[in-house]
Amino acid sequence: MALREAFDSALPAPDWLSVPAAGVHVALFDLHDWWPWLADAYTMLDAAEVRRVQSRRVVSDRHQLALGYSLHRLLLGKALECDAVDVPIRRDAKGGPYLAGNAVATSLSHADHCVAVAVAASGRVGVDVELAARAPVVPEIAERVCHPADHAGMADLPGLARSEAMLALWVRKEAFLKAAGIGLQREMQTFAAPDHALLALPSGGMTRVRMLDTDPLWVAAVASAPELPVESAVLRPLTSIAVT
């Protein structure tokens, strides 16, 4: 089975992405499921993606990035109804992906072997995913993450629950900063981001940050135009082979 066929087998429905105007779609991938198609993944990359992959020093990091890029292309190809290799992906000055000459917006996030890809019919979109196991270390950087309103909202939570809430806050703020297109130019502690919050974009307009239902091993959020509904799914090929 080729990677394209494996990807098709993983979709929740054949037409899951055929009507992108319906809103925002977020696909999450465990790269262990996709390792058997690594060779196929490399054949889908353009020259710029190959350079980014080859810049990684660790071989496993290169392979994970190549798989992530290929899955991103496959998802966008379905949304745009074109072949994955023809998707016109470009990158802005901060490395964020966008689609040349197209109103459809996209965002990509990597966390070790986890990848999240978002595609939105309009407006800007940002997605972020982290491993749930990172929760215990997030309080160590609380002062860099939490606005005073965030601290107040978590003040009564016990230790682990507070750590989990802080990790969820982290992914919401990362998703917002990606949607805003400003990366780390704005420090996280300068704004609050409760779940479903409406936040102003620097370019004008608003975005809503929302947590995603996903695998319990991950924590993920998306920021997108408030009026657009959000659908998310973990995509696993029917013939997946777990690689550890």
Side-chain angles (χ1 to χ4, degrees), residues 52-237:
R52 291 173 70 90
V53 167
Q54 291 178 341
S55 70
R56 300 296 179 97
R57 294 183 179 180
V58 180
V59 172
S60 60
D61 290 346
R62 294 178 204 158
H63 293 341
Q64 287 178 359
L65 192 59
L67 276 170
Y69 282 165
S70 67
L71 293 167
H72 189 196
R73 283 187 165 276
L74 285 161
L75 193 82
L76 292 174
K78 288 292 182 183
L80 299 176
E81 298 182 339
C82 69
D83 191 272
V85 298
D86 296 326
V87 175
I89 298 176
R90 304 290 184 270
R91 292 191 175 269
D92 60 27
K94 301 193 178 303
Y98 68 93
L99 295 168
N102 202 297
V104 173
T106 190
S107 182
L108 174 66
S109 178
H110 298 259
D112 193 15
H113 57 88
C114 305
V115 170
V117 178
V119 57
S122 60
R124 298 188 63 93
V125 66
V127 70
D128 193 60
V129 63
E130 293 290 345
L131 296 174
R134 285 199 61 201
V137 304
V138 178
E140 298 174 7
I141 56 172
E143 295 309 311
R144 291 165 44 199
V145 177
C146 294
H147 182 272
D150 299 323
H151 280 297
M154 295 184 288
D156 296 330
L157 294 176
L160 179 58
R162 187 170 188 273
S163 296
E164 293 171 344
M166 199 171 296
L167 181 61
L169 177 67
W170 172 279
V171 297
R172 290 197 299 272
K173 292 193 175 187
E174 283 278 8
F176 166 72
L177 292 170
K178 290 181 180 180
I182 56 176
L184 296 178
Q185 283 183 346
R186 182 173 181 183
E187 296 181 350
M188 287 186 178
Q189 72 270 27
T190 64
F191 64 98
D195 192 13
H196 283 266
L198 277 172
L199 300 174
L201 294 169
S203 57
M206 307 292 288
T207 190
R208 187 181 297 280
V209 291
R210 287 171 266 202
M211 298 303 298
L212 298 172
D213 291 329
T214 184
D215 188 291
L217 296 177
W218 310 332
V219 180
V222 66
S224 58
E227 70 277 8
L228 295 181
V230 175
E231 292 186 39
S232 64
V234 178
L235 301 193
R236 291 190 168 94

Side-chain angles (χ1 to χ4, degrees), residues 7-19 25 75 78 231 233-235 238:
F7 182 84
D8 288 347
S9 78
L11 293 172
D15 62 349
W16 190 60
L17 282 159
S18 64
V19 189
H25 290 80
L75 193 82
K78 288 292 182 183
E231 292 186 39
V234 178
L235 301 193
L238 292 181

